[in-house]
Amino acid sequence: MVDVDGNVILDMFAQFSSTPVGYNNPTLLQAIEENQSMFVNRPALGNLPPKDWAERLKNSLLSVSPRGLNQVVTMACGSCSNENAFKAMFMAYRRRERGGNNYSLEEMESCLKNEAPGCSDLSILSFYGANHGRTMGSLAATHTKWAHKLDFPTVDWPFADFPKLKYPLEEYVDENRKEEERSLGQVCDLIEKYNKKGRHVVGVAVEPIQAEGGDNYASPEFFRALQRICKQNGCYLLVDEVQTGMGSTGSMWQHETWGLDTPPDAVSFSKKMMTGGFYYSDELRPSEGYRVFNTWMGDPGRVVLLEALIKVVKQEELLRNVTRSGQTLLQGVMSLQNEYPHLLSNARGSGAFLAIDGSSGSFRDTLAVRLRNAGLHTGVCGPRTLRFRPMLIYREKHAFIALDIMRDTVREMNDKVW
Amino acid sequence: MVDVDGNVILDMFAQFSSTPVGYNNPTLLQAIEENQSMFVNRPALGNLPPKDWAERLKNSLLSVSPRGLNQVVTMACGSCSNENAFKAMFMAYRRRERGGNNYSLEEMESCLKNEAPGCSDLSILSFYGANHGRTMGSLAATHTKWAHKLDFPTVDWPFADFPKLKYPLEEYVDENRKEEERSLGQVCDLIEKYNKKGRHVVGVAVEPIQAEGGDNYASPEFFRALQRICKQNGCYLLVDEVQTGMGSTGSMWQHETWGLDTPPDAVSFSKKMMTGGFYYSDELRPSEGYRVFNTWMGDPGRVVLLEALIKVVKQEELLRNVTRSGQTLLQGVMSLQNEYPHLLSNARGSGAFLAIDGSSGSFRDTLAVRLRNAGLHTGVCGPRTLRFRPMLIYREKHAFIALDIMRDTVREMNDKVW
């Protein structure tokens, strides 16, 4: 990446984690060259898809489906992906309650007036620190920064604490398990409470790693238990892989590392997947057309790019690469943290999806600016976390460049108390 | 357009009115060829726009700004455009109430929990029959079809009747004025009622022509009066030009034909504009960064295409063309309606944005299918309306082709009572 003054910068934030394989990737450029009509003719995909659309989906989205999920729909962005996954859950839940689609005239008419019984007081449970998007529905499940939410009307939906784990995880197994049990206990209590007050919890939305919220982790056991709680309470489980999807953790889908007994009910994606959308189970498939619908329903050009991207990821074995270069980077920041424990702590990561905490928000903020001025672009999240979102193509040499800049910058900042 | 069987079809629905200048337009294709990096490198536009972004906006969106509105932001789709225009109105309203941005800690913390005082019980007033989108906020202002809304939770926002005018408008001036006054009276009453019950009406959202709702028109006087009511009550006026924008009515923006004293506070767009987004007044400009924000904030490739599109529209004088070919088409369907008054009525339109009602829903549905099978693709909206959304490039000859197919098809359908 080159800034406005012409300085070369190593981009380890990758447009909010959305650029998978660098700028001007030749395979992606070739895909544009060969498919210009898919970029210039934007169809209403839900209604008049191009003739080869099914084939295109098979070669792209469906070729990397999470295990056990064979249904997919495209959307234009992450917020719309989650909004529509919520809708799919609301519909399936009510269909189950009704034992079919036997809508009453009163339901069909009252919903047009924003009234019951057509509009149901259903809810989605989310976690504090979650970011599921910034349109009203997805924002109601988002709890990260006041700038996202202040002054906007919303709905009364429950949220539980996301576990606040201690790092390194392997040193705090017992404490972390208790913390996760506390969070799961809240989930159970909230489902009971909201069901009792008539705002039935239809689904639970969760990120595999809370990114915007501060790169917060939970264990595979936590997610398996969460799924069990969902099943016991007749809720669906939506895994929001908008930030974790497409390989940056070393897996195509982070939730596949949890060892779930059955797949989640829905998995949303966007960012590095190049197109928004969500995978879903047969049960979540709407029974009528036009229920999950809008004019564009995504953009076929973005799916063309995804098809090319998947080719690059497979040919260059980028998932293996992410794991290797991510390890090098994590080991490097860990040894830096050991050297400057008063400034840096909690180095953590999965694949190349990495983060470290600063001693304070102001230290972290200054560090991010100085790193950028020294040629390393990183991101910030949570109150005092610095996050690395290397692209999938980065090799160990990029980790070494980043670590050199990190080391010099932290050394320079060690001259004062933060 | 060619269907899966290879039949040539005249497309007068244009992908839900979103295709401006036909398929494979050479100027648009050339723009892709010359700007491939804008398609392959998708930046986080709100944070790291490309170096020439301001210039790009000047040459595209800002070169066709509605009079008096110089601020613009891009979004990925129409729903997100309206959601974010709503947000801009909520923020400006609360800033005015507070006399600045002096947020309390309680406000900043409570909003993260979906609670007051941080989350305000503010509302947007809309009209019955409106379609502003399908994410939770924009959907709360949408009142067209049960399929859009059934089973989804929503908020208590007011909506007034949109005037149900009689056509042709010039024959029913007095009756229509009374009907519009009835609607405006409801608007006043609802604002008072919702302000009293603590769900202050911050803004009014309105389409210049209710499209999805049935191609419903109102007079310029209606909209001028609506703006006066907004001003008297401290509400903002958002004109949703997602379907009417970019020339299909013969004007770049339909609201510019109303003779408003001052511009509306916000104008949203998408579809034929190729990118979503909204124009807004200085007063609606957020005072902090990241308030109207998401990862992508639109797509620079779509703005490149818009720049090319504007060139085509100007060079080929397409607005003039729309007016001329639209007149021909309207006159043709009017004479058809005079010939078959028991089957067709209420032919109406602005530019090439045209509609006609069938005698019943089933007649209209069958007509649309038969037209399509005979080579003319049209759209349906409202309970019994057939809508024409010709592309801007269509000439009188296309109107004649459409009319020939219409005439033959209606004649064939005249053999039975519908």
Side-chain angles (χ1 to χ4, degrees):
Chain A
M1 189 165 75
V2 178
D3 73 8
V4 281
D5 300 320
N7 301 310
V8 175
I9 294 175
L10 180 61
D11 185 3
M12 285 215 175
F13 194 38
Q15 310 294 339
F16 285 74
S17 196
S18 72
T19 307
V21 287
Y23 301 104
N24 296 309
N25 180 286
T27 307
L28 270 59
L29 281 170
Q30 195 190 336
I32 296 177
E33 184 69 35
E34 290 170 0
N35 295 279
Q36 290 187 355
S37 70
M38 296 288 267
F39 289 83
V40 77
N41 302 324
R42 189 175 190 173
L45 278 173
N47 199 282
L48 290 159
K51 200 171 169 178
D52 61 352
W53 188 236
E55 203 55 38
R56 291 271 180 188
L57 289 180
K58 274 182 206 156
N59 293 336
S60 55
L61 286 164
L62 294 172
S63 76
V64 294
S65 299
R67 274 192 299 275
L69 294 180
N70 304 316
Q71 309 274 343
V72 73
V73 65
T74 53
M75 289 285 154
C77 70
S79 295
C80 289
S81 304
N82 283 323
E83 288 262 355
N84 282 285
F86 291 178
K87 285 187 186 181
M89 296 194 286
F90 292 133
M91 283 187 284
Y93 186 93
R94 291 286 290 134
R95 186 170 58 218
R96 210 173 58 201
E97 279 191 333
R98 285 190 189 96
N101 289 332
N102 43 340
Y103 317 130
S104 70
L105 189 64
E106 191 191 1
E107 285 177 313
M108 292 161 88
E109 287 178 352
S110 59
C111 74
L112 290 177
K113 303 177 182 172
N114 296 18
E115 285 171 4
C119 288
S120 303
D121 266 348
L122 303 172
S123 66
I124 301 288
L125 184 145
S126 55
F127 289 90
Y128 201 80
N131 180 10
H132 296 294
R134 300 183 60 160
T135 48
M136 191 191 269
S138 58
L139 188 59
T142 290
H143 315 274
T144 35
K145 292 181 183 148
W146 66 265
H148 296 186
K149 292 176 71 96
L150 184 68
D151 295 339
F152 305 148
T154 188
V155 283
D156 173 18
W157 285 2
F159 61 92
D161 287 341
F162 194 76
K164 277 190 182 24
L165 303 192
K166 289 191 177 172
Y167 305 92
L169 297 176
E170 55 277 16
E171 280 182 27
Y172 297 95
V173 173
D174 283 350
E175 276 174 85
N176 286 343
R177 197 182 52 234
K178 276 181 202 149
E179 170 63 5
E180 292 187 337
E181 282 166 5
R182 189 183 68 83
S183 165
L184 293 166
Q186 279 189 6
V187 172
C188 293
D189 293 347
L190 283 165
I191 292 176
E192 198 188 331
K193 180 179 159 189
Y194 273 72
N195 286 356
K196 265 191 193 154
K197 71 170 170 171
R199 301 186 75 83
H200 282 78
V201 178
V202 161
V204 172
V206 69
E207 295 156 283
I209 304 163
Q210 279 194 339
E212 187 75 12
D215 270 35
N216 306 321
Y217 284 75
S219 70
E221 291 74 26
F222 172 82
F223 291 105
R224 290 201 298 268
L226 185 63
Q227 189 184 44
R228 278 196 300 274
I229 293 169
C230 285
K231 287 183 181 178
Q232 283 157 7
N233 290 279
C235 308
Y236 299 107
L237 177 63
L238 163 65
V239 182
D240 177 343
E241 296 239 27
V242 166
Q243 187 141 173
T244 48
M246 184 40 85
S248 58
T249 65
S251 313
M252 188 58 76
W253 304 106
Q254 179 71 351
H255 77 266
E256 292 191 327
T257 66
W258 298 340
L260 297 175
D261 289 337
T262 58
D265 301 283
V267 175
S268 57
F269 55 82
S270 191
K271 292 195 185 259
K272 282 197 177 66
M273 286 291 283
M274 317 213 74
T275 172
F278 62 101
Y279 297 99
Y280 53 100
S281 66
D282 290 344
E283 187 175 343
L284 289 197
R285 191 180 166 90
S287 11
E288 305 103 350
Y290 298 100
R291 294 285 269 149
V292 163
F293 191 81
N294 57 49
T295 298
W296 282 324
M297 300 285 287
D299 183 341
R302 310 293 307 168
V303 172
V304 164
L305 288 174
L306 174 63
E307 196 177 329
L309 168 64
I310 291 169
K311 227 181 274 172
V312 174
V313 169
K314 288 185 177 166
Q315 276 170 5
E316 302 185 13
E317 297 191 331
L318 290 184
L319 296 197
R320 195 179 301 181
N321 177 62
V322 160
T323 305
R324 193 167 45 232
S325 61
Q327 261 170 1
T328 305
L329 186 58
L330 182 59
Q331 280 163 8
V333 292
M334 276 187 161
S335 75
L336 202 59
Q337 149 184 319
N338 291 336
E339 216 176 317
Y340 300 97
H342 53 296
L343 296 179
L344 297 171
S345 60
N346 300 331
R348 57 200 182 273
S350 177
F353 195 107
L354 304 176
I356 192 164
D357 289 348
S359 53
S360 68
S362 66
F363 172 81
R364 182 275 313 268
D365 291 346
T366 309
L367 177 61
V369 171
R370 290 206 190 174
L371 288 174
R372 192 209 160 284
N373 291 342
L376 175 65
H377 186 53
T378 59
V380 296
C381 61
R384 58 189 181 96
T385 300
L386 189 79
R387 55 178 161 167
F388 300 89
R389 295 291 181 273
M391 304 184 192
L392 307 179
I393 48 171
Y394 285 178
R395 309 281 160 177
E396 282 190 291
K397 71 173 176 189
H398 298 98
F400 291 132
I401 294 170
L403 288 168
D404 282 348
I405 296 174
M406 277 284 284
R407 200 168 292 118
D408 289 350
T409 307
V410 175
R411 189 188 302 126
E412 282 167 24
M413 290 179 72
N414 193 30
D415 61 352
K416 85 172 231 203
V417 178
W418 289 87
Chain B
M1 188 165 76
V2 179
D3 74 7
V4 282
D5 300 320
N7 301 311
V8 175
I9 294 175
L10 181 60
D11 185 2
M12 285 217 176
F13 194 39
Q15 311 293 339
F16 287 75
S17 196
S18 72
T19 307
V21 287
Y23 300 105
N24 296 310
N25 180 286
T27 308
L28 269 59
L29 281 170
Q30 194 189 339
I32 295 176
E33 182 71 35
E34 289 170 1
N35 295 278
Q36 291 187 353
S37 70
M38 295 288 267
F39 289 83
V40 76
N41 303 322
R42 188 172 190 177
L45 278 172
N47 196 284
L48 290 159
K51 200 173 171 178
D52 61 350
W53 188 237
E55 202 55 37
R56 292 271 181 189
L57 290 179
K58 273 182 208 157
N59 292 337
S60 57
L61 286 164
L62 294 172
S63 77
V64 294
S65 300
R67 275 191 298 277
L69 294 180
N70 304 315
Q71 309 275 343
V72 73
V73 65
T74 52
M75 289 286 154
C77 69
S79 294
C80 287
S81 304
N82 283 323
E83 287 262 355
N84 281 284
F86 291 178
K87 284 189 188 183
M89 296 194 287
F90 292 133
M91 283 188 283
Y93 187 92
R94 292 286 290 133
R95 186 170 59 220
R96 210 173 59 200
E97 279 192 333
R98 284 191 190 97
N101 288 333
N102 42 339
Y103 317 129
S104 69
L105 189 63
E106 191 192 0
E107 286 177 313
M108 293 160 86
E109 287 178 352
S110 59
C111 74
L112 290 178
K113 303 175 183 173
N114 295 20
E115 286 171 3
C119 288
S120 303
D121 267 347
L122 303 172
S123 67
I124 301 289
L125 185 144
S126 55
F127 289 91
Y128 200 78
N131 180 11
H132 296 294
R134 300 184 58 160
T135 48
M136 190 191 269
S138 57
L139 186 60
T142 289
H143 315 275
T144 35
K145 293 182 183 149
W146 65 265
H148 296 186
K149 290 175 72 94
L150 183 69
D151 295 339
F152 306 148
T154 188
V155 284
D156 173 20
W157 285 2
F159 60 92
D161 285 342
F162 195 74
K164 280 192 179 26
L165 301 193
K166 290 190 177 172
Y167 304 93
L169 297 176
E170 54 278 16
E171 281 183 27
Y172 297 95
V173 173
D174 283 352
E175 275 174 84
N176 286 343
R177 197 183 51 235
K178 277 182 202 148
E179 169 63 5
E180 292 189 336
E181 281 165 4
R182 188 184 67 84
S183 165
L184 293 166
Q186 279 190 4
V187 172
C188 294
D189 293 348
L190 283 166
I191 292 176
E192 198 188 332
K193 179 178 159 190
Y194 273 73
N195 286 355
K196 265 191 193 153
K197 70 169 170 171
R199 301 186 75 83
H200 282 78
V201 177
V202 162
V204 172
V206 70
E207 295 156 282
I209 304 163
Q210 278 193 340
E212 187 74 14
D215 272 33
N216 306 322
Y217 284 75
S219 71
E221 291 74 26
F222 172 82
F223 292 105
R224 290 200 298 268
L226 185 62
Q227 188 183 46
R228 277 196 300 276
I229 293 169
C230 286
K231 287 182 181 177
Q232 284 158 7
N233 290 280
C235 308
Y236 299 107
L237 178 63
L238 163 65
V239 182
D240 177 343
E241 296 240 27
V242 165
Q243 187 139 175
T244 47
M246 184 42 85
S248 57
T249 65
S251 314
M252 188 58 77
W253 304 105
Q254 178 73 349
H255 78 267
E256 291 190 331
T257 66
W258 297 340
L260 297 175
D261 289 336
T262 57
D265 301 283
V267 175
S268 57
F269 54 83
S270 192
K271 291 195 186 261
K272 282 197 177 66
M273 286 290 283
M274 316 214 73
T275 172
F278 62 102
Y279 296 100
Y280 54 100
S281 66
D282 289 344
E283 187 175 342
L284 289 197
R285 191 181 166 89
S287 10
E288 306 102 349
Y290 298 100
R291 294 285 269 149
V292 165
F293 190 83
N294 57 48
T295 298
W296 281 325
M297 300 284 287
D299 183 340
R302 310 295 305 168
V303 172
V304 164
L305 288 173
L306 174 63
E307 196 177 329
L309 168 65
I310 292 170
K311 229 181 274 174
V312 175
V313 169
K314 288 185 178 170
Q315 274 170 7
E316 302 184 15
E317 297 189 335
L318 291 184
L319 296 198
R320 195 179 302 180
N321 176 63
V322 160
T323 304
R324 191 168 47 233
S325 61
Q327 261 169 3
T328 305
L329 186 58
L330 182 58
Q331 280 161 8
V333 293
M334 276 185 161
S335 76
L336 203 58
Q337 145 184 323
N338 292 337
E339 218 174 316
Y340 300 97
H342 52 297
L343 295 179
L344 297 170
S345 61
N346 299 330
R348 56 201 183 272
S350 177
F353 195 106
L354 304 177
I356 192 163
D357 290 347
S359 53
S360 67
S362 65
F363 173 80
R364 183 273 315 269
D365 290 347
T366 310
L367 177 60
V369 170
R370 292 209 189 170
L371 288 174
R372 193 209 160 283
N373 291 342
L376 176 65
H377 186 53
T378 59
V380 296
C381 59
R384 57 189 182 98
T385 300
L386 189 80
R387 54 177 161 168
F388 301 89
R389 296 290 181 273
M391 303 185 194
L392 308 179
I393 48 170
Y394 286 179
R395 309 280 160 179
E396 283 190 290
K397 69 173 177 189
H398 299 98
F400 292 132
I401 295 170
L403 288 168
D404 282 346
I405 297 174
M406 277 284 286
R407 199 169 294 117
D408 290 349
T409 307
V410 174
R411 188 188 304 125
E412 284 167 23
M413 290 178 72
N414 194 30
D415 61 353
K416 83 173 231 201
V417 178
W418 290 87

